[in-house]
Amino acid sequence: MRQFLIIFLISSSLTAGAQGTLSFRSLNEVFAYADAHSVTFKNATQQVLMNKYQTLAAKLDKWKIKGDANLTSTDNTKLGVTFIPAEIFGGPTGTYRQVTFGQQYVTAANFAPQIDILNPFAMAQVRTARASEQVTNATNLLNKKSLYESVAGAYYNILSYQWQIKVTKNSLDNADTLTTIMVNKQQEGIARQQDVNNAKANQLSIQDKLQQLEVNLEEQYSSLKLLCDMDPDTPVSIEETAAPGNFDASLAATGYLTQLQTEWQLKYQEADLRANKRWFMPTITLFSSLGWQQNTNNHPFDGSRWINSNYVGVKMIIPIFPDVGKVAAVRYDRINVAVAKNNFEHAARQDSVNNRQLQLEYQKAFKSARLAGEIAALKEDSYYKNLNIYKEGILSATDLFTAFNDWLNNSLNAVSQQANSDYAKSKIMINNIVK
C-alpha cells in the first residue's frame, strides 16, 4: 500500500510539473520509480517466475506421468506361408500342407500410460527446487539493496551539487561586490591595481568552479537515469524540501540479507545431497496398456469389429551397478555442504559487522556535517568583520581575499558533508527495509 501511495505521489508531481519532466521530491519517490522501470527489477521478476515454474515442474516430475499413444495401419501385401502336417486335414501322414494365416489389412491403436508410485530421487528434487527458489529471492534482495544504495548515492550527489551551486552563486555575488569595492578604492587611489586584479581573478575562479559544479550535476543526473532506466532525453528534476534533521541515535542497522542468502544456499546444498543419496533407492512404477485391433481383407476402417486388449502391472527398478557420476555427486555435495556451513557462520558475523559499520559511518558523517556547518558560520562571520575592517583601511586586501576564500571553501564543505550525512542515514534505512 505504501508503494502505491508513493507511485501516486510521483504521478501527481509529474502532472503538476512541466510536460515531459520527471520531478522527484524525495528519495522514496525515486525508489518507487526504479521499482517500476529498472531493468534489474524486471529481470528479477522474471527470475522469480522461472524458479516458480521449476518448482512446479519438480512437483509434477515426482510422479513421472507418461503415456504414449500410437496408431498403425498395415497392408500385408503378401502374407507369410506356414507349413502344417497334412494329416490335420485328412491327408497322408508325413506330408505337409501350405497354409496362409492372417488378413491383409491390420489396423491397431495402442495407449500405454505409466506413473511412478514411488520415486525417492524425484520426490527429493522438490525440496531442492524450493531451496533454489529461496536462494534466488535472497539474491534478488541483495541486488535490490545494491541498486538502492547506488540510486541513493546519485540522489545525494545531485543534492550536494545543487547545494554547492547555490553557495557558489551566492559567493559569486559577493565576489562581484568585492571587485566593485576594489575598483572604487583603486580609483580613489587607496587600493593597488594588484588588488583589483586579484579580485577579478577571484571572480573568474568562482565562475570556473560554478561551471564545473554544473557539469558534475548533469553527470549525476545521467547516472541516476541509467540506474533507474529513465529516458536519457527526459529532463529530471530533484527538489528535496526536507530540512536537515538531528542525529537519530535510536536508528540501528538490522540487515541480515547476506546471512539469509547463505542460509538458503546451505539448505539448497543439503537438499541436493539428500536427493543424490537416493539414486540407489528402488523406483516403483504402475504401468498399463490399452489396445484395439481391426483385421480385414477389404480395406482399413471398413467397419469390421475392433478387438480390445489391455493389461496393467507394477514394476520395481533397483540400480545394481553403481553410477560413478552419482557417487561423485554425493562426494561433491558433502564438500559443498561443509563450505556452505562455513559461509553461513561467516555471514552472520559479516552482517553484524556491516550493521555496526553503517551506524559508525552515520555517526561520523553527522558529526562532521555539524562541525562543518559551525565552521562555515564562523568563517562567514569572520569575512564580514574583515570586510568592515578593510573598508576602514586597517586590513590588507590579501587578508580579505583569504577570509573570503576560507568562507567559500568551508561553505562548500558544509553542504557536501550534509549530503554525506544524509546518504549515510539512507544506507541504514535501505539496509533495514530491504528484507
Side-chain angles (χ1 to χ4, degrees):
M1 186 66 185
R2 176 174 171 269
Q3 288 190 346
F4 286 126
L5 178 60
I6 294 173
I7 294 174
F8 172 76
L9 292 174
I10 291 178
S11 301
S12 301
S13 65
L14 293 178
T15 304
Q19 186 177 5
T21 300
L22 289 174
S23 181
F24 302 98
R25 293 188 295 271
S26 70
L27 181 58
N28 283 336
E29 291 186 4
V30 183
F31 286 162
Y33 185 94
D35 287 342
H37 298 86
S38 172
V39 170
T40 299
F41 294 147
K42 290 180 180 179
N43 290 342
T45 301
Q46 296 302 316
Q47 289 172 350
V48 170
L49 185 61
M50 181 174 64
N51 275 268
K52 288 185 180 296
Y53 286 147
Q54 289 175 344
T55 301
L56 177 60
K59 290 179 179 178
L60 297 176
D61 192 54
K62 68 181 181 179
W63 305 109
K64 290 192 180 297
I65 302 174
K66 294 186 292 185
D68 298 325
N70 59 77
L71 175 66
T72 61
S73 182
T74 304
D75 181 359
N76 296 304
T77 56
K78 189 174 183 178
L79 293 170
V81 176
T82 302
F83 293 89
I84 63 175
E87 59 184 285
I88 296 176
F89 301 98
T93 303
T95 61
Y96 293 88
R97 184 174 178 178
Q98 180 177 316
V99 179
T100 301
F101 289 102
Q103 292 181 295
Q104 183 177 355
Y105 301 104
V106 178
T107 303
N110 181 263
F111 174 54
Q114 71 176 42
I115 180 173
D116 285 352
I117 301 175
L118 178 65
N119 190 329
F121 176 77
M123 294 170 66
Q125 287 291 343
V126 176
R127 184 175 294 183
T128 303
R130 287 173 177 166
S132 177
E133 186 177 342
Q134 295 301 324
V135 170
T136 300
N137 291 339
T139 302
N140 288 338
L141 286 174
L142 281 170
N143 293 337
K144 180 178 182 178
K145 175 188 171 185
S146 178
L147 179 62
Y148 270 13
E149 289 180 348
S150 297
V151 169
Y155 179 85
Y156 285 110
N157 280 339
I158 289 172
L159 288 182
S160 176
Y161 287 128
Q162 285 179 342
W163 295 340
Q164 291 182 61
I165 287 173
K166 183 177 180 180
V167 168
T168 305
K169 287 182 176 179
N170 180 60
S171 296
L172 186 58
D173 292 338
N174 283 279
D176 293 341
T177 302
L178 196 58
T179 300
T180 301
I181 294 173
M182 294 294 173
V183 170
N184 292 335
K185 285 188 172 292
Q186 194 267 342
Q187 291 175 350
E188 296 173 0
I190 301 175
R192 300 172 301 171
Q193 182 62 43
Q194 296 94 312
D195 296 335
V196 176
N197 293 341
N198 289 336
K200 291 181 178 180
N202 202 40
Q203 279 182 293
L204 295 175
S205 177
I206 295 173
Q207 289 176 0
D208 179 62
K209 187 184 296 292
L210 178 60
Q211 68 89 18
Q212 290 184 32
L213 289 171
E214 289 172 343
V215 171
N216 291 339
L217 177 61
E218 289 303 316
E219 290 176 346
Q220 290 303 313
Y221 269 123
S222 297
S223 297
L224 185 65
K225 289 179 181 180
L226 181 60
L227 290 168
C228 298
D229 284 280
M230 302 176 184
D231 186 346
D233 298 326
T234 300
V236 178
S237 174
I238 301 296
E239 301 173 1
E240 175 69 75
T241 57
N246 295 324
F247 180 74
D248 187 358
S250 63
L251 183 60
T254 58
Y256 56 85
L257 286 183
T258 305
Q259 183 178 355
L260 178 66
Q261 184 194 41
T262 54
E263 178 184 4
W264 279 110
Q265 188 66 44
L266 172 59
K267 291 181 179 180
Y268 170 79
Q269 295 296 345
E270 291 175 339
D272 196 41
L273 173 61
R274 185 182 299 107
N276 285 326
K277 287 170 65 177
R278 295 184 178 185
W279 68 270
F280 60 88
M281 298 182 69
T283 300
I284 301 177
T285 303
L286 175 67
F287 63 93
S288 63
S289 176
L290 305 173
W292 296 266
Q293 183 171 307
Q294 183 192 65
N295 303 310
T296 178
N297 287 320
N298 297 323
H299 59 80
F301 306 105
D302 64 351
S304 299
R305 185 172 65 92
W306 287 82
I307 301 172
N308 175 248
S309 65
N310 58 70
Y311 62 81
V312 62
V314 177
K315 64 180 178 180
M316 181 170 64
I317 302 174
I318 303 176
I320 301 300
F321 297 101
D323 186 328
V324 177
K326 293 294 185 182
V327 173
V330 171
R331 296 283 186 180
Y332 299 152
D333 285 340
R334 285 174 176 163
I335 295 174
N336 289 333
V337 168
V339 172
K341 285 181 179 178
N342 293 335
N343 290 339
F344 175 63
E345 294 173 358
H346 176 74
R349 293 188 291 269
Q350 181 179 345
D351 280 336
S352 178
V353 172
N354 288 345
N355 289 336
R356 179 58 179 165
Q357 188 68 26
L358 287 174
Q359 292 174 225
L360 291 175
E361 288 178 358
Y362 172 43
Q363 180 179 359
K364 180 180 69 174
F366 182 85
K367 289 182 178 179
S368 294
R370 184 186 62 187
L371 293 175
E374 293 176 358
I375 292 172
L378 293 173
K379 292 295 183 178
E380 179 183 8
D381 182 67
S382 296
Y383 166 72
Y384 282 112
K385 283 182 169 58
N386 286 332
L387 179 61
N388 292 331
I389 296 174
Y390 172 78
K391 290 178 180 179
E392 295 175 359
I394 302 175
L395 188 71
S396 68
T398 300
D399 291 338
L400 181 61
F401 289 138
T402 299
F404 177 82
N405 288 323
D406 283 348
W407 173 34
L408 171 59
N409 292 333
N410 281 279
S411 296
L412 292 174
N413 182 59
V415 294
S416 177
Q417 292 293 342
Q418 181 59 53
N420 288 338
S421 175
D422 292 342
Y423 175 56
K425 184 177 182 179
S426 73
K427 288 175 66 176
I428 296 180
M429 302 298 293
I430 293 169
N431 186 71
N432 292 348
I433 64 175
V434 180
K435 58 180 63 175

